[in-house]
Amino acid sequence: MSWAAESTAAIIELASVFGHTATWHPAQGGTAALAQPVLFESASASLDLKAGGNDGINTSFDYTNYQITAPSARFPGLKSAVDSGQEEQVLVEENGEPVGRFHVRDVRYVNGGQLITARLSEIKSHAEPNRGRAHPALDHFFTG
């Protein structure tokens, strides 16, 4: 067995042990990749800019970089879709529970093209379902 085949087999085994799966429904239609085992990385870091004195900068920028690694055959067409500018998304789950929905920023082939690594950004809902409406208790209080 070649090194590339051995490392791909190891990735598949690790993915099944850690229990992360990713589902991708191509934006332009086509065959969906449903609940495929992936290695999921969520590395968080922060960058602090600080300067002394009263007029100094005291700002912190946080960023989170997510990544999945999987056999490229399990997500056929994902790299070409992202490279052509399609807005692709994946849903990541851990042991059947949602971890989050992510925008695919870029995809690279690794391990001789047998694997892909996809850099992701989390998609967050910025508006709450009841945004702009009073809390029901306050609404009742003011309306009687």
Side-chain angles (χ1 to χ4, degrees):
M1 183 181 277
S2 71
W3 178 85
E6 285 181 16
S7 60
T8 299
I11 294 290
I12 293 169
E13 186 171 337
L14 284 170
S16 64
V17 168
F18 287 109
H20 286 102
T21 60
T23 297
W24 169 54
H25 294 277
Q28 296 297 314
T31 305
L34 302 174
Q36 297 297 316
V38 297
L39 282 181
F40 177 70
E41 298 175 44
S42 173
S44 297
S46 66
L47 171 67
D48 293 324
L49 300 174
K50 295 183 181 179
N54 292 335
D55 296 326
I57 299 171
N58 189 2
T59 305
S60 178
F61 299 98
D62 292 325
Y63 70 92
T64 304
N65 193 29
Y66 299 92
Q67 179 174 294
I68 59 172
T69 303
S72 54
R74 300 215 173 147
F75 295 93
L78 178 60
K79 180 173 177 26
S80 61
V82 171
D83 288 350
S84 69
Q86 298 298 320
E87 297 282 331
E88 301 298 337
Q89 297 179 8
V90 294
L91 172 66
V92 176
E93 296 180 323
E94 182 178 13
N95 298 319
E97 295 294 321
V99 171
R101 182 170 296 282
F102 300 87
H103 169 74
V104 182
R105 294 192 329 245
D106 72 31
V107 179
R108 293 183 309 126
Y109 286 121
V110 293
N111 203 20
Q114 292 188 16
L115 297 172
I116 60 167
T117 58
R119 289 188 319 145
L120 313 171
S121 296
E122 187 172 22
I123 299 170
K124 294 185 178 183
S125 174
H126 294 291
E128 307 250 342
N130 63 351
R131 186 176 180 144
R133 293 181 291 187
H135 187 277
L138 290 174
D139 188 45
H140 180 72
F141 177 75
F142 288 115
T143 60

